[in-house]
Amino acid sequence: MKLLDGKYVSEKVKVQIAEEAADFLSTTGRKPHLVAILVGNDGGSETYVASKMKNCEKVGFKSSLHRYDNSVTEAELLAKIEEINQDDDVDGLIVQLPLPKHIDPEKVTETIDYRKDVDGFHPVNLGRMMRNLPCFIPATPYGILLMLQEYNIDTTGMHCVVVGRSNIVGSPMSILMARNANPGNCTVTLTHSRTKDLKEQILQADIVIAAIGKKNFVTADMVKPGAIIIDVGINRETSTETKSGFKLYGDVDFDNVAPISSYITPVPGGVGLMTIVGLLKNTLASARKEIYK
Ligand code: NDP
């Protein structure tokens, strides 16, 4: 078993990003700029946004955070997004999910200018991804591709089973793994809560990508020996053992699955760190106008 070490890979890629951000600053006189909008005070969202902001500073980006109470109206939020869309000093705009029930996430996603949509959730970016055209790839799937690349894992011809079909992870991941590219060139099975015989499906996989949101859901008896395991899940539980007061678990029963896998991502220290790298790379590409002029 070999660990796919998100800490090592993310630090390495961030060094490159920092160099490129410094070049960008010296040629343009400005830093790549990421703006985040956070509504409410969900513990997980607070942590993710703080980490994104901190990482921006670390690689020499500018970052700004706009915070709103849960009581913010949809109209107020959409107006703010429109305003940021017009701001030439902003390269990337993300709105942290989930949003309160009275705000339609689809409207929010579609209001963000697709040229600043560094989370890659806008239908224009998803459509272009589907057609293998230059676009912002959703940050988590992008981070997973970078991880596979870093370890020179050739996925050509593999059977990839993705568990979970969300718009932000499972569905785009299934498209990317089936693309004519490497990583990619897989035969992909996209599974979800209505899949019959899920265990039999996962047992067929050369590569399993678990994005379910259920602690230790994928157990050793579901995994073919030698499979590659990518664990996207972040399940937070309160804990008295840690300083932060909570502990993170993946969707995969790491202790029992790791010994029979060929490669596996840990939680924490795996995909989560690579997601931030995906976001930073998209923001830099946006600043340099590499994808959209
Ligand atoms: P969603 O809740 O949007 O989607 C979960 C998916 O899992 C759904 O498609 C659902 O099926 C499927 N599912 C749920 N229960 C089962 C089951 N018993 N059997 C099979 N499939 C099931 O989650 P996300 O995709 O947003 O996130 C998934 C996990 O990844 C979460 O733990 C989240 O915190 C984490 N995450 C981690 C990131 C990172 O950077 N590492 C980034 C984003 C998310 P159905 O569609 O039928 O309901």
Side-chain angles (χ1 to χ4, degrees):
M1 181 277 288
K2 195 164 175 190
L3 204 64
L4 296 172
D5 184 347
K7 189 157 171 47
Y8 164 75
V9 180
S10 64
E11 290 303 327
K12 182 174 160 185
V13 183
K14 279 190 279 184
V15 170
Q16 291 162 5
I17 296 173
E19 282 171 14
E20 291 171 39
D23 283 349
F24 182 80
L25 175 62
S26 67
T27 51
T28 65
R30 59 182 287 271
K31 295 177 174 183
H33 183 192
L34 176 70
V35 173
I37 294 181
L38 175 61
V39 181
N41 40 22
D42 170 74
S45 297
E46 294 266 2
T47 314
Y48 301 143
V49 170
S51 172
K52 289 169 188 173
M53 301 286 100
K54 197 177 85 192
N55 276 284
C56 279
E57 305 301 326
K58 231 170 150 177
V59 297
F61 289 8
K62 178 176 170 187
S63 67
S64 313
L65 174 61
H66 296 276
R67 298 192 66 123
Y68 290 93
D69 283 343
N70 266 322
S71 59
V72 67
T73 65
E74 187 179 271
E76 275 175 275
L77 198 61
L78 297 182
K80 188 69 193 175
I81 293 170
E82 301 275 14
E83 183 193 314
I84 298 169
N85 283 344
Q86 302 302 321
D87 185 346
D88 289 340
D89 182 50
V90 177
D91 303 298
L93 169 59
I94 58 172
V95 178
Q96 186 65 40
L97 302 174
L99 290 164
K101 292 220 168 4
H102 64 278
I103 298 175
D104 178 359
E106 299 300 335
K107 268 195 200 163
V108 168
T109 302
E110 291 197 33
T111 302
I112 296 173
D113 184 336
Y114 66 89
R115 291 163 300 188
K116 297 189 180 187
D117 167 43
V118 288
D119 258 339
F121 297 162
H122 192 284
V124 169
N125 282 310
L126 290 174
R128 291 178 65 90
M129 183 188 79
M130 180 89 191
R131 302 195 59 154
N132 222 347
L133 295 170
C135 64
F136 296 120
I137 294 174
T140 300
Y142 190 13
I144 293 170
L145 296 183
L146 291 168
M147 177 83 106
L148 292 168
Q149 249 163 19
E150 175 64 30
Y151 284 88
N152 291 315
I153 295 173
D154 184 350
T155 58
T156 304
M158 285 188 181
H159 185 183
C160 175
V161 174
V162 179
V163 193
R165 58 177 162 185
S166 72
N167 289 330
I168 65 170
V169 189
S171 291
M173 202 65 232
S174 69
I175 292 165
L176 291 163
M177 293 309 282
R179 282 200 313 190
N180 184 0
N182 190 22
N185 283 323
C186 288
T187 304
V188 175
T189 303
L190 178 58
T191 65
H192 43 76
S193 69
R194 304 295 181 92
T195 298
K196 279 187 191 158
D197 307 327
L198 184 62
K199 177 178 168 183
E200 279 63 40
Q201 296 291 342
I202 300 175
L203 269 168
Q204 302 300 315
D206 302 309
I207 173 163
V208 179
I209 302 179
I212 312 155
K214 295 208 158 103
K215 176 184 168 187
N216 298 347
F217 182 89
V218 177
T219 48
D221 59 322
M222 299 166 108
V223 172
K224 178 164 80 176
I228 299 166
I229 310 293
I230 308 293
D231 189 352
V232 183
I234 300 181
N235 304 293
R236 278 161 63 101
E237 282 189 2
T238 50
S239 165
T240 49
E241 289 168 36
T242 59
K243 220 167 66 185
S244 60
F246 62 84
K247 221 173 152 181
L248 301 183
Y249 297 90
D251 287 344
V252 176
D253 176 10
F254 183 90
D255 291 347
N256 294 305
V257 172
I260 60 166
S261 66
S262 55
Y263 294 91
I264 188 165
T265 61
V267 177
V271 173
L273 298 173
M274 295 306 297
T275 293
I276 295 197
V277 166
L279 179 68
L280 295 174
K281 280 185 81 87
N282 278 342
T283 305
L284 183 64
S286 177
R288 290 160 147 187
K289 307 230 177 296
E290 279 172 7
I291 293 166
Y292 303 111
K293 299 294 162 221

